[in-house]
Amino acid sequence: MGDLRARLKPLFRRSSTPSSPKSPKPSLAETPAGHPLGDGRNWSKTSLRLAKNRKPSTVLPVDEIKESPPQLPPLEHIETESLGREGSEHTPDTSIEAPQSPILEKGNPTLTVEEPTPKTEVEKEVVAIQDPGLLAEPDARNTIASQRPGIAHRRQSLAPSSQSSLINELLQSESPQLQSTTTDYFGEVLPRPKMPQHKKIWVKRPGSSATQVTIHEDDLVDDVRDMILKKYANSLGRNFDAPDVTLRIIYRHPSGRHSQTERTLGPEEPVSKVLEVHYPGGQSVEEALVIDVPQRRTPKHSPHLAMPYYLHDDLRPRENGTDYFPPMPVAGTHSPHLPSSISVSSAQGISHHPAHAMAVLTTGQLPNLPSPGARVARNSQHRPKYGRQHTSSPTILQGAANAQNHENLKYSNPAPMPTPPIPEESPSKAATPPIPRVSSPGPRPKAPNNKRSKKQVVQTSTDAASVRDGAVPPINVLIVEDNIINLRLLEAFMKRLKVRWSTAMNGKDAVTKWREGGFHLVLMDIQLPVMNGLDATKEIRRLERVNSIGVFSNSASTTPTFANGDEIDQVPEEEDSLMNTALFKSPVIIVALTASSLQSDRHEALAAGCNDFLTKPVNFEWLTRKVMEWGCMQALIDFDGWRKWKDFSSQSNQNNKPSTSTPLLGIKSPKSTSSSAVGGLPNANANNANTANNANGKVVPPGMGGGKKKKEEREGMHLGLVGKEKVVGVGVGGEEGLTGRERDGSDETTGTGTDTNGDSEGK
Amino acid sequence: MAARSENAESDGSPDLPDCGDAIDPTTFEQILEMDDDEEEREFSRSIVYGFFDQAEVTFTKMDAALDTSDLPTLSSLGHFLKGSSATLGLTKVKDSCEKIQHFGAMKDENGTHDVTDRQRCLQLIRDTLKKVKVEYKEAEKILKRFYHEPDMPQ
């Protein structure tokens, strides 16, 4: 205390003493900035800095005291500034001091510079004594107060004396008004005839903070509604029309002559009149008109798919949730499908969050959800969220989820999709935090990474035989291959993967087999006798279309899959109709086996309706990936059916084992055994099995899907080959393998990346 | 095909040490991995010897088709053998077969440009067929040595 006072006293005394000799100097310093009164804030800052720099030279020579406070000279300048600014701009600081300075000024309107010196000294003393409890802050404030008179005069010295009265008037008349801005601003403004026609009224949505909309003097409530929709352009404007909006006025005195406490305004009422009547003296924030909108029950999410993210991004509470899905209805099972698909798809600007979006739009309440939008990555604050996403997204399924998501947006899939491999993968995923940080939100940088980690998983699991033990979905594959050598190898692969398979030696055979139903995946050689693979593919697609396979499973509406939708509704011809449509719940996935090196052949295959392709000679790792990918996708689409099917098949698998491991020679179809086993099930189960069987395809539009898939495929191809080539070194091998692949890109050997290839090509 | 089990005796199969550029080891090892028993190598052996049979038959057919100047058949035979040779990793054979396929389709050896001269196509196929037979023999020798075929001179 005493210490403070002791420190303050010399401080003030010192500051006052130099003030008189120094006073001309500040005015000098002001001259560069002193020219305008209006150059407000920026200027004061620069002058402050200027003063600080200048201080040692000006003040120190004068002072003998070591601990010369650095604030003093700058503070003077701040004061001068703030006062000089007062005519044009009002800050809270100035409005506080405003009532004080005029008083002083009144006492000495045209005083000379020297005069205030003694006075301020007295004042300082008083303040210091009065307010010893306040520490450094009062120190500054006191000096401000103490300096003020001198400054006021200095300012006056800048302004002509004729203006000083004007300034006084301004200061006196405006400051009270400004202080009470929130309460009776309108009360003040309304009666003034000279004020412009525009004025502002407070409105708010229930439970949220009020905002102002600009209206005209003679606007009706109807016009206000328009303004409100403009103001709430996102939350209301996109969803509601002006007539939907109603405004409620809440009475200030509910107990008075009004029996009710509130009233809904009619569209024809003049707003300003109503407000005047109900809120004499002006409308306060608390008296904001309440905006009501009808609750919409039926969400139509397609038009709003992309949009809610803007909303989320801007308005959602940051860093709030620890849980990823706080308000989500607990759907029994944890659903990794959602985050995974979002993290991928939202990067493409597609949202899969209709529920949240509508929650915002209809209730006006922001959900606690962090938006999984990919743009999040831009904001450093959002980083943790992003990391969480990655942790919870199953790597293996991302490719599939991705495909499903952007290719079949409308397919509503309420089934939860737990995925076995998630737990193991999350560490590897979490171990890559720099990705969201570094990369832009675009899908591109993420894709290779996904591939890589996917690759790792595949590799480790392949070696660990876990793939064979159940990670590969138990799908049913139709192998169409005319060359017995290739066929036998593919059969061996299938056997190794523990999936069921059937074979066909030509295209016609393939179509016939397919018509029996129950296939998820067709490995289709392109060049086949009797009917080639492309024709067989086209025929299968045609039959699917004619029989409405894959369309009816979408209860919502027609998929974009079939451009010529009219064909869908046709009753299939007798010869085209499939025997058991229950076995065809979705289009089958057709993976073309192209031995051809020509890109055009691949395009042709995709155009014919293949979803994907593999280049011969088929690589086992790669085939495994395909089976995983497509099989997992089917599992995603219809998990329940798949699970039941899987449970059953694990049982029946043991029974069937002897039969499936029959000699490899010959074109035996183990499918007959297992399908008969399925037939032995109760109906419900059989249906589920079929659902599972056929679930895979619904996502993929024959031409488009394949096209999109293609690029991925080629990347996958590289990595798969690398995996084969260098079973251990994944990361390093990646580059080599890739270049090797690029080099061999034109060759049918599919670039196993060996010297053999290069040499033979050289010939 | 699998009847040639008399050669089963082996003392740890050499992993194609000197196959040179005739066989792509990566592709071939993939087949070897399918073997349940590394001593017997029943599966890969059946595949390989199945391919030998297939190749012999195909070459015969090709010769016949050349005699009748049947280009489409030559093309499809080329494609056929291309598929299996690629599966086994017999890169050279596969490349030659692809050329035959293209020539048979009246294309140049890359399959990108049309060749109008029939006789030229036939001649090219004739040359390539000779070449591919040599390449095949080379690969066969290596493979048979790998499977310890006794009647093949080391």
Side-chain angles (χ1 to χ4, degrees):
Chain A
M1 281 298 188
D3 178 37
L4 176 77
R5 207 180 304 170
R7 266 177 54 191
L8 281 175
K9 266 187 188 173
L11 194 146
F12 290 135
R13 211 166 280 139
R14 185 189 45 75
S15 76
S16 64
T17 21
S19 80
S20 51
K22 225 178 70 181
S23 42
K25 268 184 185 170
S27 69
L28 265 178
E30 279 161 26
T31 36
H35 53 92
L37 281 172
D39 197 1
R41 228 167 262 270
N42 283 342
W43 182 71
S44 80
K45 270 180 189 162
T46 52
S47 93
L48 173 70
R49 224 170 285 130
L50 217 160
K52 260 183 183 166
N53 295 338
R54 195 167 44 85
K55 188 215 70 181
S57 59
T58 54
V59 177
L60 275 181
V62 186
D63 279 337
E64 307 87 52
I65 306 166
K66 285 266 170 75
E67 42 150 3
S68 61
Q71 311 98 303
L72 279 179
L75 277 170
E76 275 180 27
H77 292 285
I78 291 173
E79 264 321 295
T80 33
E81 255 58 84
S82 61
L83 276 178
R85 226 186 306 138
E86 233 161 65
S88 58
E89 188 182 340
H90 285 270
T91 58
D93 300 30
T94 54
S95 69
I96 289 166
E97 52 190 76
Q100 287 187 4
S101 47
I103 297 166
L104 284 164
E105 277 173 0
K106 264 180 197 164
N108 34 21
T110 48
L111 276 177
T112 55
V113 184
E114 287 81 10
E115 190 156 1
T117 322
K119 210 175 197 175
T120 48
E121 189 160 6
V122 172
E123 238 181 56
K124 271 177 239 156
E125 293 289 347
V126 169
V127 173
I129 291 162
Q130 270 181 345
D131 220 356
L134 301 176
L135 291 168
E137 198 188 342
D139 179 5
R141 204 180 277 169
N142 293 344
T143 39
I144 289 172
S146 62
Q147 295 294 332
R148 193 173 297 117
I151 292 145
H153 299 304
R154 245 175 262 135
R155 181 187 55 75
Q156 279 185 343
S157 71
L158 283 173
S161 60
S162 57
Q163 287 183 11
S164 68
S165 59
L166 180 74
I167 290 168
N168 284 348
E169 205 177 77
L170 275 172
L171 289 173
Q172 280 183 316
S173 65
E174 271 195 76
S175 36
Q177 187 187 332
L178 276 169
Q179 278 172 332
S180 59
T181 301
T182 47
T183 52
D184 51 4
Y185 177 68
F186 291 105
E188 286 262 331
V189 172
L190 275 179
R192 283 191 192 170
K194 61 180 177 189
M195 284 306 278
Q197 297 296 309
H198 300 283
K199 56 179 192 171
K200 293 190 169 180
I201 62 166
W202 288 104
V203 295
K204 66 174 179 183
R205 301 196 64 189
S208 46
S209 73
T211 185
Q212 284 191 322
V213 293
T214 311
I215 61 162
H216 294 275
E217 188 78 39
D218 50 355
D219 269 355
L220 302 179
V221 171
D222 197 33
D223 302 310
V224 178
R225 298 196 295 200
D226 284 335
M227 298 305 297
I228 286 169
L229 286 191
K230 273 182 203 163
K231 190 95 178 183
Y232 292 90
N234 278 317
S235 58
L236 295 179
R238 292 190 191 247
N239 229 16
F240 297 99
D241 299 321
D244 294 336
V245 180
T246 51
L247 284 176
R248 251 185 309 140
I249 190 166
I250 297 171
Y251 295 134
R252 196 179 267 182
H253 309 292
S255 56
R257 49 205 166 99
H258 307 288
S259 52
Q260 342 148 264
T261 56
E262 58 179 35
R263 177 170 75 87
T264 302
L265 297 178
E268 76 289 345
E269 295 179 67
V271 188
S272 43
K273 290 248 173 64
V274 170
L275 287 179
E276 265 182 61
V277 168
H278 289 287
Y279 304 131
Q283 181 196 28
S284 70
V285 198
E286 292 77 22
E287 293 161 337
L289 298 179
V290 180
I291 306 164
D292 285 328
V293 289
Q295 294 286 311
R296 216 169 254 191
R297 287 285 165 229
T298 51
K300 30 167 198 173
H301 55 249
S302 42
H304 305 293
L305 269 180
M307 167 246 145
Y309 281 97
Y310 298 108
L311 215 92
H312 282 226
D313 241 8
D314 298 339
L315 302 180
R316 70 149 177 277
R318 317 265 187 204
E319 298 290 346
N320 54 349
T322 47
D323 293 341
Y324 192 80
F325 288 126
M328 284 281 279
V330 184
T333 343
H334 161 64
S335 156
H337 156 70
L338 215 49
S340 77
S341 66
I342 279 162
S343 64
V344 178
S345 70
S346 55
Q348 300 156 3
I350 302 163
S351 118
H352 213 72
H353 257 297
H356 310 146
M358 288 317 292
V360 176
L361 291 176
T362 55
T363 63
Q365 310 301 327
L366 289 170
N368 292 329
L369 275 183
S371 153
R375 288 136 82 247
V376 170
R378 263 181 233 150
N379 255 326
S380 56
Q381 303 159 275
H382 298 226
R383 230 179 268 143
K385 259 171 230 153
Y386 214 66
R388 260 200 307 276
Q389 260 178 32
H390 271 270
T391 326
S392 62
S393 55
T395 320
I396 279 190
L397 301 177
Q398 273 200 345
N402 184 11
Q404 178 199 10
N405 214 38
H406 68 254
E407 284 166 10
N408 198 12
L409 261 179
K410 287 196 172 180
Y411 177 67
S412 56
N413 186 8
M417 309 293 177
T419 49
I422 308 161
E424 316 152 20
E425 282 161 28
S426 34
S428 74
K429 264 311 223 184
T432 58
I435 294 116
R437 203 176 306 158
V438 173
S439 65
S440 66
R444 184 150 309 163
K446 249 196 298 181
N449 181 56
N450 286 348
K451 285 283 175 195
R452 204 163 296 144
S453 44
K454 196 192 277 184
K455 169 96 201 91
Q456 284 167 352
V457 169
V458 168
Q459 222 166 27
T460 53
S461 52
T462 314
D463 292 338
S466 62
V467 164
R468 291 141 207 167
D469 289 340
V472 172
I475 56 173
N476 195 7
V477 181
L478 175 62
I479 306 169
V480 189
E481 171 66 68
D482 64 324
N483 193 313
I484 185 71
I485 301 293
N486 296 353
L487 187 63
R488 278 165 54 191
L489 187 59
L490 286 172
E491 282 185 300
F493 286 165
M494 290 303 143
K495 184 187 164 204
R496 191 53 72 86
L497 287 173
K498 292 201 169 154
V499 300
R500 298 175 298 156
W501 77 93
S502 294
T503 56
M505 292 289 275
N506 62 57
K508 200 166 176 125
D509 196 11
V511 176
T512 311
K513 281 261 171 66
W514 171 81
R515 288 181 70 141
E516 293 168 9
F519 289 104
H520 312 110
L521 188 63
V522 177
L523 299 176
M524 179 81 79
D525 189 18
I526 292 306
Q527 228 158 350
L528 294 167
V530 185
M531 177 192 268
N532 74 31
L534 294 183
D535 289 340
T537 302
K538 285 175 190 163
E539 175 67 5
I540 288 174
R541 294 302 183 211
R542 186 186 70 83
L543 288 172
E544 280 176 346
R545 204 158 50 222
V546 169
N547 287 279
S548 304
I549 292 165
V551 185
F552 62 89
S553 58
N554 276 343
S555 53
S557 56
T558 55
T559 20
T561 308
F562 303 117
N564 44 351
D566 49 351
E567 219 178 329
I568 290 165
D569 297 329
Q570 284 176 2
V571 178
E573 303 280 320
E574 184 75 19
E575 55 170 15
D576 286 344
S577 71
L578 299 167
M579 292 178 299
N580 186 0
T581 48
L583 288 171
F584 300 90
K585 276 221 159 177
S586 65
V588 73
I589 298 295
I590 301 181
V591 177
L593 303 179
T594 58
S596 169
S597 58
L598 301 178
Q599 280 294 320
S600 59
D601 288 357
R602 296 174 183 172
H603 290 305
E604 209 180 341
L606 297 174
C610 295
N611 304 90
D612 205 343
F613 63 81
L614 281 170
T615 309
K616 288 203 244 174
V618 174
N619 179 290
F620 178 63
E621 300 292 339
W622 192 9
L623 180 74
T624 307
R625 286 164 43 80
K626 286 300 148 211
V627 173
M628 291 273 277
E629 212 171 285
W630 292 112
C632 286
M633 190 182 75
Q634 147 211 334
L636 279 174
I637 290 168
D638 185 13
F639 174 71
D640 282 336
W642 177 64
R643 188 173 49 188
K644 280 175 192 164
W645 185 88
K646 198 179 171 229
D647 288 347
F648 169 75
S649 86
S650 60
Q651 295 168 9
S652 67
N653 225 15
Q654 290 164 350
N655 305 336
N656 285 348
K657 245 179 185 167
S659 69
T660 41
S661 55
T662 43
L664 292 156
L665 306 173
I667 313 154
K668 184 167 166 35
S669 158
K671 186 205 156 241
S672 56
T673 54
S674 37
S675 68
S676 70
V678 170
L681 279 173
N683 263 346
N685 264 356
N687 275 345
N688 277 325
N690 296 332
T691 321
N693 286 355
N694 294 287
N696 55 358
K698 59 186 61 154
V699 173
V700 187
M704 289 159 42
K708 278 184 180 168
K709 200 70 205 156
K710 224 193 82 196
K711 203 161 185 182
E712 259 183 52
E713 165 54 39
R714 293 181 63 202
E715 288 174 19
M717 187 193 315
H718 302 162
L719 291 163
L721 285 167
V722 176
K724 185 59 202 165
E725 197 179 346
K726 306 198 164 190
V727 187
V728 223
V730 185
V732 190
E735 305 299 301
E736 283 181 56
L738 237 152
T739 49
R741 172 64 199 157
E742 293 305 329
R743 171 163 53 84
D744 296 339
S746 62
D747 195 275
E748 162 189 12
T749 48
T750 68
T752 32
T754 62
D755 291 335
T756 323
N757 264 347
D759 288 353
S760 63
E761 269 166 38
K763 290 193 177 177
Chain B
M1 300 181 202
R4 314 187 189 205
S5 49
E6 69 267 15
N7 328 307
E9 266 60 53
S10 70
D11 45 356
S13 305
D15 265 330
L16 296 175
D18 53 349
C19 61
D21 53 1
I23 300 171
D24 171 27
T26 310
T27 311
F28 188 69
E29 276 166 19
Q30 167 173 283
I31 299 173
L32 295 183
E33 279 170 21
M34 292 294 131
D35 282 329
D36 294 324
D37 182 357
E38 294 216 352
E39 294 296 310
E40 292 291 321
R41 294 212 175 275
E42 191 189 341
F43 173 73
S44 66
R45 181 187 301 273
S46 76
I47 290 276
V48 168
Y49 283 87
F51 172 76
F52 291 160
D53 292 348
Q54 189 185 72
E56 301 288 354
V57 170
T58 309
F59 288 144
T60 312
K61 281 184 186 171
M62 280 181 173
D63 288 334
L66 258 181
D67 290 341
T68 59
S69 303
D70 186 353
L71 283 178
T73 302
L74 283 167
S75 179
S76 83
L77 286 171
H79 172 263
F80 181 76
L81 197 58
K82 179 182 77 171
S84 44
S85 55
T87 298
L88 264 69
L90 308 184
T91 321
K92 284 182 168 185
V93 176
K94 188 219 69 172
D95 289 342
S96 296
C97 286
E98 185 172 31
K99 283 175 191 167
I100 293 176
Q101 180 193 352
H102 290 321
F103 294 143
M106 307 271 291
K107 304 256 186 190
D108 67 359
E109 66 172 26
N110 295 318
T112 45
H113 300 292
D114 289 337
V115 177
T116 46
D117 190 349
R118 256 182 82 86
Q119 288 311 312
R120 178 168 162 71
C121 283
L122 284 171
Q123 186 53 49
L124 283 168
I125 291 174
R126 209 165 283 133
D127 297 344
T128 314
L129 184 56
K130 265 183 211 153
K131 196 177 119 204
V132 74
K133 280 179 180 169
V134 173
E135 289 163 346
Y136 164 73
K137 280 295 169 197
E138 190 191 340
E140 186 191 35
K141 202 191 293 179
I142 295 169
L143 286 172
K144 286 195 174 176
R145 197 164 25 182
F146 177 74
Y147 286 105
H148 299 277
E149 180 81 40
D151 51 301
M152 284 301 290
Q154 293 276 326

